[in-house]
């Protein structure tokens, strides 16, 4: 069971858009529409931002959106704000178990 | 509003068993057909799924930890627990409990996390 592959870091200026990729295999990301994304600020517990590839929980701004193509899922954050600076993790169901990505640090310049 | 709170020993000796409990408040652990999970994060590193217990009582574990992990539920106390045996320094991490509403590997809400250090 290998971790999903995410870029180590991405950056963007306030107001811009950034996309974080999450690459797996046909046994996880590509095989199920159960990809989720989490935001984690330093010292805090992760927060669910996207589930089932593209659904947003109540209270998550619509600046956050998710998608999937083949074995790669993506999280797009539009209209970047300073408070979006955090670590982001993707996660996928993999048939009776779950796998996380290695995490991406988003820096707002 | 559902809340989860981890508790247990913060220091465990190598080769011993790590034991943690997650108390659920604001709702019943037996309702809704949810699953209940444990996830950990070594200092400065990423998240690692440990396993979960379905509402049916079935358990599913990370293959890399399966031989050492046990997750159980105590419905009378509205809590679930994690036991990890034969720990080493590599098991030092912040341990989180979380609810999996759909049983499909997405987690909400999470507990605040508890740091467990493995050291003699």
């Amino acid at each position: 069971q290998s971790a999903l592959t995410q870029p180590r870091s991405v950056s963007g200026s306030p107001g811009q858009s950034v996309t974080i990729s999450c690459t797996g295999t046909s046994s996880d990301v590509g095989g199920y529409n159960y990809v989720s994304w989490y935001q984690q600020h330093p010292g805090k517990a992760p927060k669910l931002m996207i589930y089932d590839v593209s659904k947003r929980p109540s209270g998550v701004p619509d600046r956050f959106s998710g998608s999937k193509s083949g074995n790669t899922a993506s999280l797009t954050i539009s209209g970047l704000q300073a408070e979006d600076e955090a670590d982001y993790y993707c996660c996928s169901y993999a048939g009776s178990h779950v796998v996380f990505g290695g995490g991406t640090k988003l820096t707002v310049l | 509003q559902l809340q989860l709170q981890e508790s247990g020993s913060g220091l465990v000796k190598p080769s011993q068993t790590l034991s943690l409990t997650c108390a659920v408040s604001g709702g019943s652990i037996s309702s809704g057909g949810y699953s209940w999970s444990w996830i950990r994060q070594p200092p400065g590193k990423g998240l690692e799924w440990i396993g979960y217990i379905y509402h049916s009582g079935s358990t599913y574990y990370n293959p890399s930890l399966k031989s050492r992990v046990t997750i159980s539920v105590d419905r009378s106390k509205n809590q679930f627990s994690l036991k990890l045996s034969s720990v080493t320094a590599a098991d030092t991490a912040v341990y989180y409990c979380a609810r999996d509403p759909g049983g499909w590997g997405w987690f909400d809400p999470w507990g605040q996390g508890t740091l467990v250090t493995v050291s003699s």
Side-chain angles (χ1 to χ4, degrees):
Chain A
Q1 178 193 7
S2 300
L4 306 176
T5 300
Q6 297 181 234
R8 286 214 168 192
S9 64
V10 298
S11 62
S13 299
Q16 289 186 333
S17 294
V18 295
T19 296
I20 300 171
S21 62
C22 170
T23 300
T25 69
S26 58
S27 296
D28 38 63
V29 174
Y32 306 93
N33 288 322
Y34 297 124
V35 175
S36 51
W37 290 90
Y38 302 86
Q39 177 191 67
Q40 186 180 36
H41 288 110
K44 300 294 187 181
K47 175 187 176 183
L48 178 68
M49 305 302 284
I50 296 287
Y51 67 100
D52 291 356
V53 175
S54 60
K55 297 178 181 176
R56 268 180 293 105
S58 173
V60 172
D62 60 6
R63 303 185 295 104
F64 292 84
S65 62
S67 63
K68 190 186 86 166
S69 177
N71 296 337
T72 298
S74 299
L75 173 71
T76 297
I77 309 170
S78 58
L80 268 180
Q81 298 182 4
E83 62 259 36
D84 297 334
E85 184 162 296
D87 293 325
Y88 291 84
Y89 293 91
C90 63
C91 177
S92 177
Y93 180 73
S96 78
H97 66 275
V98 172
V99 61
F100 280 96
T104 298
K105 181 174 180 57
L106 169 62
T107 300
V108 180
L109 302 171
Chain B
Q1 181 184 357
L2 194 76
Q3 292 186 316
L4 287 72
Q5 178 68 59
E6 305 88 349
S7 63
S9 176
L11 179 63
V12 182
K13 289 181 168 54
S15 81
Q16 293 190 341
T17 296
L18 176 160
S19 294
L20 296 174
T21 296
C22 181
V24 178
S25 60
S28 171
I29 200 169
S30 297
S31 67
Y34 302 126
S35 300
W36 305 91
S37 290
W38 288 97
I39 295 153
R40 71 181 183 179
Q41 185 172 36
K45 296 187 177 181
L47 300 168
E48 180 181 33
W49 177 74
I50 298 171
Y52 49 36
I53 185 164
Y54 275 11
H55 56 89
S56 64
S58 298
T59 51
Y60 297 87
Y61 302 132
N62 186 322
S64 67
L65 299 171
K66 187 175 182 178
S67 63
R68 300 193 291 129
V69 174
T70 302
I71 296 176
S72 59
V73 166
D74 186 336
R75 300 184 192 281
S76 67
K77 294 184 178 179
N78 217 38
Q79 64 186 30
F80 62 107
S81 300
L82 168 70
K83 291 189 184 300
L84 181 65
S85 64
S86 304
V87 298
T88 69
D91 295 309
T92 294
V94 174
Y95 285 75
Y96 295 99
C97 59
R99 183 185 67 174
D100 179 346
W104 300 112
W106 57 270
F107 308 103
D108 183 60
W110 295 57
Q112 66 183 27
T114 187
L115 175 63
V116 178
T117 301
V118 178
S119 175
S120 55

